[in-house]
């Protein structure tokens, strides 16, 4: 294989899916990266081997858009792209969600170790690292596939989130990213919504790995606010809602529900006799109209593939 198969490091961290950073904390060790035919400027350093990127800083790195293998040499990159087995095949993993030209594939990091490692290395160019884990087998990856992508009838991976198979903190996301060429389309919100729905299906009541970066928190606040708005406005007119009610209905942690309410500035100064906070429903409605919050959820729960619907073929 022309492009390196070096073992890399999967990343656990958070960055905003829909915003670019103003000033990266560290200078990237790759000046320019080519993903397929797209030129992208990295934001942060990644853990590519120094001998593969030509020292401590590489001017150019070429990454296969299908398998995410990489090389600093354009001729090797061109040769690989002609024979990459994934260019004519569906992306790895089982489809767990499919609607409106997008699909989400679940990938076991143990089963697709090299793919997960190379995907994580590429993602690190656009993520601030909070933690680094060297064993991809302990993670599940959920890739977002654009199905009408040119060049492959099965679509192209344009982002993903990962999570630990067993999280002591019940986190439903370790790392989340929409690749820069596909940002500012609300796709990060779809990934966040999917992470919560998958967590609900598993009985995993939690949220993203903490602490959140400034930009990561901004992306999550946007999601929390939208979900809280829909929950509040769909409640019966005279029903008294508690934070726990909203939390139970959205699967968002109570403290994150409170953060959303404060972000929308809909909390009254007064409290109930029991000490509960009071929200102004008319303010919630006004905030929803101002921010163009849709009545329908971000994702269609019925578009998730039930486990019994996944067909496995046996080969002798």
């Amino acid at each position: 294989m022309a492009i390196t198969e070096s073992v890399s490091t999967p990343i656990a961290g958070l960055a905003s899916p829909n915003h670019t950073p103003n000033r990266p904390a560290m200078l990237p060790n790759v000046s320019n990266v080519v993903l397929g035919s797209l030129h992208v400027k990295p934001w942060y350093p990644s853990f590519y081997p120094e001998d593969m990127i030509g020292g401590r800083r590489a001017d150019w790195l070429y990454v296969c858009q299908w398998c995410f293998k990489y090389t600093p040499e354009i001729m090797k990159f061109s040769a690989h792209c002609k024979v990459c087995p994934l260019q004519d095949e569906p992306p790895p993993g089982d489809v767990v969600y499919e609607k409106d030209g997008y699909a989400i594939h679940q990938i076991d990091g143990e089963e697709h170790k090299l793919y997960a490692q190379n995907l994580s290395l590429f993602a690190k160019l656009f993520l601030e690292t909070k933690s680094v884990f060297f064993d991809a087998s302990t993670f599940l990856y959920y890739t977002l596939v654009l199905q009408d992508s040119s060049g492959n009838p099965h679509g192209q991976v344009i982002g993903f989130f990962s999570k630990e198979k067993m999280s002591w903190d019940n986190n439903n996301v370790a790392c989340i990213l929409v690749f820069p060429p596909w940002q500012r389309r609300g796709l990060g919100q779809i990934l966040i919504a999917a992470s919560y729905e998958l967590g609900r299906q598993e009985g995993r009541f939690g949220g993203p790995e903490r602490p959140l970066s400034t930009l990561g928190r901004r992306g999550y606040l946007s999601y929390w606010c939208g979900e809280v708005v829909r929950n509040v406005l769909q409640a019966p007119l005279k029903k008294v809602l508690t934070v726990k009610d909203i939390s139970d209905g959205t699967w968002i942690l109570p403290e994150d529900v409170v953060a959303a309410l404060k972000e929308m500035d809909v909390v009254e100064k007064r409290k109930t006799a029991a000490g509960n906070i009071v929200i102004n429903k008319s303010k919630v409605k006004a905030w929803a109209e101002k921010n163009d919050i849709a009545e329908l959820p971000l994702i269609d729960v019925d578009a998730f593939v039930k486990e019994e619907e996944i067909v496995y073929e046996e080969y002798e």
Side-chain angles (χ1 to χ4, degrees):
M1 184 63 67
I3 294 182
T4 179
E5 296 191 4
S6 299
V7 172
S8 318
T9 52
I11 308 304
L14 275 173
S16 168
N18 296 311
H19 298 82
T20 56
N22 294 324
R23 289 173 178 259
M26 298 178 62
L27 290 176
N29 57 346
V30 177
S31 299
N32 302 277
V33 65
V34 173
L35 178 66
S37 60
L38 300 174
H39 172 218
V40 189
K41 297 288 290 186
W43 304 342
Y44 303 102
S46 187
F47 299 100
Y48 289 107
E50 289 188 7
D51 59 341
M52 282 303 306
I53 62 174
R56 295 187 176 181
R57 187 176 178 86
D59 288 333
W60 291 90
L61 188 69
Y62 302 91
V63 179
C64 176
Q65 69 191 94
W66 311 120
C67 70
F68 296 96
K69 292 180 182 177
Y70 54 89
T71 177
E73 300 179 37
I74 190 170
M75 295 304 294
K76 288 184 177 180
F77 172 70
S78 298
H80 167 81
C81 290
K82 294 177 181 178
V83 299
C84 179
L86 290 184
Q87 65 179 322
D88 298 315
E89 298 179 3
D94 297 318
V95 177
V96 295
Y97 180 83
E98 189 170 17
K99 187 169 184 178
D100 296 334
Y102 295 97
I104 296 177
H105 291 214
Q106 177 183 281
I107 299 172
D108 190 321
E110 183 172 14
E111 183 179 352
H112 299 278
K113 185 175 183 179
L114 180 61
Y115 181 92
Q117 291 170 336
N118 286 333
L119 174 64
S120 298
L121 272 182
F122 175 74
K124 176 60 191 75
L125 293 170
F126 311 100
L127 289 171
E128 294 178 88
T129 303
K130 295 188 302 182
S131 302
V132 178
F133 297 88
F134 293 88
D135 186 2
S137 65
T138 62
F139 286 84
L140 292 173
Y141 295 76
Y142 294 85
T143 54
L144 180 62
V145 179
L146 175 61
Q147 294 181 319
D148 61 355
S149 174
S150 60
N152 186 330
H154 302 288
Q156 178 178 339
V157 173
I158 60 173
F160 75 103
F161 71 88
S162 64
K163 68 181 180 184
E164 293 178 275
K165 294 177 181 177
M166 293 200 54
S167 171
W168 294 107
D169 297 319
N170 240 16
N171 297 325
N172 58 27
V173 163
C175 156
I176 186 169
L177 176 72
V178 173
F179 303 153
W182 293 276
Q183 291 184 0
R184 302 184 183 276
R185 303 185 188 183
L187 300 178
Q189 296 290 295
I190 292 177
L191 283 177
I192 293 174
S195 72
Y196 275 94
E197 174 56 25
L198 289 167
R200 186 192 67 80
Q201 293 178 13
E202 299 170 5
R204 185 185 297 206
F205 191 88
E209 184 180 284
R210 314 298 172 111
L212 291 169
S213 68
T214 300
L215 296 177
R217 180 172 175 78
R218 194 179 304 168
Y220 267 90
L221 267 175
S222 177
Y223 172 77
W224 294 333
C225 288
E227 290 298 295
V228 169
V229 162
R230 280 183 281 271
N231 184 271
V232 170
L233 295 184
Q234 290 172 6
L237 186 61
K238 294 185 178 181
K239 178 177 173 59
V240 177
L241 287 177
T242 66
V243 168
K244 185 178 185 304
D245 290 332
I246 300 173
S247 177
D248 290 344
T250 60
W251 277 70
I252 297 173
L253 293 171
E255 56 264 37
D256 295 334
V257 170
V258 173
L261 293 171
K262 290 182 177 179
E263 174 70 15
M264 293 186 287
D265 193 24
V266 297
V267 179
E268 298 285 341
K269 292 182 179 180
R270 64 185 178 90
K271 292 186 177 181
T272 66
N276 296 320
I277 63 174
V278 177
I279 63 173
N280 187 316
K281 193 169 183 178
S282 62
K283 284 187 176 181
V284 173
K285 186 175 181 179
W287 190 93
E289 292 174 350
K290 180 181 178 181
N291 291 273
D292 196 25
I293 302 298
E295 293 184 11
L296 296 176
L298 293 171
I299 55 174
D300 182 357
V301 174
D302 293 331
F304 280 88
V305 178
K306 304 297 186 293
E307 189 169 345
E308 60 268 19
E309 295 174 355
I310 300 176
V311 177
Y312 298 94
E313 295 183 357
E314 295 184 1
Y315 298 91
E316 296 183 357

